[in-house]
Amino acid sequence: MVLNESSAIPEFGSSRSAKATSLDVNAGAWPGIASIQVTRDNGTWHMCSGALVSHRWVLTAASCFSGAGDVLKWKVVIGATDLSQPGPGAAEFQIKQLLKHPAYVAATARNNMALLELERPVECSDYIQLGCVPDSSLAVPELRTCYIAGWRAAPDSAPGPRPLLQEAKVRLMDAQVCNSSRWYGGAVQPQELCAGYPRGGIDTCQGDIGGPLVCKDNDGDYFWLVGLASWGKGCAGEKRPGVFTSTQHFHTWIQVQMGMVLPDTEAPPPEPEPPTPIIEEEPPEEPEEELEPEPQSAPQPVPIPVPIPEPEPIPKPEDEEEEEPGAEKLITISFPKSILLRLFTNLQEFLEFLRDKLD
């Protein structure tokens, strides 16, 4: 995380420093957060964050793995607040597979979500717990008490996050305000959330990608995992809150990937298919109150104001080769024979209906 001391939020005094605006986290305070790490020749590095949502699955951001190479050589550390000294409550897991959302777009961070399957199941403890992903029944915008957590960037030291986990309180921002011209100008997608403060000061930053945004339930004493840190313009700037992928929006996709829901119950893909050209028809006219609806599934015919040739029976269009002198000239339009037959049949029925009404 990054914190701008010049615009610090007063209520977030640090337990370690009077100048800091976040709190160092005690062991076990964030039992669902995960550190996604890679070991290279120059050491082991924390790359992204994630959230444990099942005994075998960690939810994170797809953007964490752009150009990552062999992700199966990475590892996940859960239950640690100090990455330099994970402690006995922490556990380390190898990655079995990576599942990115199929509609993820790297250029815009659209659908920025991924799941990591672990090699072995996680055993819950006082330091390791599962996060709760809300379904569509939860009114997420009405949640009032929300927090972010991450390994804070240290500008006075070598590049990379500090080993200590920190947390900060944030506020869910109105979607229309966040997308206004002086904020993000329409770049925030419907499947994303904004969280932070209008004047900045507290935000996620590099190393926090995929990290959890949790909000306390308004009625119960528990928290919901409502978002994953996705992107932003700068860190902790004014009118530049953090943008988070909404976990609620992808609830079904998450359950399907973890095998909790059958694939045929998954929602349709977000990208619509090109529409099939059809012949548009006018909406059906409302029937008179005294008339009973006809027992048919097709729409009721709509009267079309065109001259009706006499005498009956109505001649077929292909028989109209010559016009009588003085007759009204009609414009010939080419339609399939089946449509013309249906049209003239409906016209004849309408004429009979008018005659009955006049009688």
Side-chain angles (χ1 to χ4, degrees):
M1 294 199 307
V2 65
L3 302 116
N4 185 347
E5 309 297 349
S6 63
S7 58
I9 312 300
E11 62 182 293
F12 305 120
S14 171
S15 60
R16 300 290 184 92
S17 169
K19 294 183 179 181
T21 54
S22 70
L23 296 173
D24 291 338
V25 175
N26 294 324
W30 282 78
I33 195 169
S35 171
I36 302 172
Q37 304 177 1
V38 60
T39 300
R40 295 174 177 163
D41 294 338
N42 57 350
T44 299
W45 299 86
H46 165 89
M47 302 300 292
C48 296
S49 299
L52 183 68
V53 293
S54 169
H55 289 279
R56 277 191 177 271
W57 296 92
V58 170
L59 196 60
T60 184
S63 58
C64 180
F65 308 99
S66 299
D70 188 3
V71 179
L72 300 184
K73 295 182 180 179
W74 293 26
K75 65 180 180 180
V76 177
V77 177
I78 307 174
T81 55
D82 186 343
L83 297 183
S84 63
Q85 298 177 355
E92 183 179 303
F93 301 88
Q94 297 300 312
I95 298 173
K96 182 178 180 180
Q97 67 170 323
L98 164 66
L99 298 177
K100 293 184 182 180
H101 193 280
Y104 166 63
V105 180
T108 59
R110 184 181 177 89
N111 305 309
N112 191 10
M113 180 167 288
L115 276 164
L116 294 175
E117 184 179 9
L118 306 178
E119 282 282 4
R120 70 180 196 277
V122 176
E123 294 184 6
C124 294
S125 66
D126 293 338
Y127 303 94
I128 300 177
Q129 295 290 329
L130 307 182
C132 297
V133 177
D135 59 19
S136 58
S137 64
L138 181 67
V140 172
E142 298 179 5
L143 301 179
R144 298 181 295 270
T145 305
C146 302
Y147 294 88
I148 55 175
W151 285 270
R152 181 184 176 186
D156 298 332
S157 62
R162 284 178 54 186
L164 296 178
L165 183 67
Q166 296 190 323
E167 68 177 13
K169 189 176 182 181
V170 293
R171 183 183 308 153
L172 290 178
M173 311 296 295
D174 181 81
Q176 292 184 349
V177 172
C178 195
N179 247 341
S180 60
S181 58
R182 294 188 179 182
W183 290 52
Y184 280 123
V188 180
Q189 302 294 323
Q191 65 271 25
E192 295 175 328
L193 303 170
C194 289
Y197 296 92
R199 63 181 179 272
I202 293 179
D203 196 6
T204 53
C205 203
Q206 288 81 8
D208 296 326
I209 298 300
L213 166 67
V214 301
C215 295
K216 186 179 181 298
D217 189 84
N218 288 338
D219 300 320
D221 189 19
Y222 51 88
F223 286 82
W224 294 102
L225 173 64
V226 301
L228 302 172
S230 179
W231 63 277
K233 292 184 179 179
C235 298
E238 183 179 0
K239 298 179 180 178
R240 294 292 187 268
V243 181
F244 298 78
T245 302
S246 169
T247 58
Q248 182 184 53
H249 185 89
F250 297 97
H251 179 267
T252 301
W253 180 82
I254 294 169
Q255 288 196 318
V256 169
Q257 305 313 307
M258 296 191 306
M260 300 176 65
V261 175
L262 295 177
D264 58 355
T265 63
E266 188 174 7
E271 300 299 334
E273 297 181 358
T276 303
I278 58 173
I279 300 175
E280 295 185 358
E281 297 182 358
E282 296 182 5
E285 191 175 72
E286 293 292 332
E288 299 289 339
E289 292 184 1
E290 62 271 20
L291 296 179
E292 296 181 359
E294 297 183 9
Q296 58 183 23
S297 59
Q300 296 296 322
V302 178
I304 303 175
V306 297
I308 302 174
E310 293 289 346
E312 295 182 6
I314 300 173
K316 297 182 180 179
E318 56 267 23
D319 297 336
E320 296 183 7
E321 298 179 355
E322 298 181 359
E323 296 182 0
E324 297 181 3
E328 185 177 356
K329 187 176 182 180
L330 300 179
I331 298 175
T332 302
I333 302 176
S334 177
F335 285 98
K337 184 177 179 180
S338 60
I339 295 180
L340 288 172
L341 289 176
R342 187 178 64 180
L343 173 63
F344 283 107
T345 300
N346 291 336
L347 284 172
Q348 190 171 10
E349 293 175 355
F350 182 72
L351 283 173
E352 293 175 358
F353 165 74
L354 289 178
R355 291 192 186 100
D356 293 341
K357 292 291 291 185
L358 291 176
D359 293 338

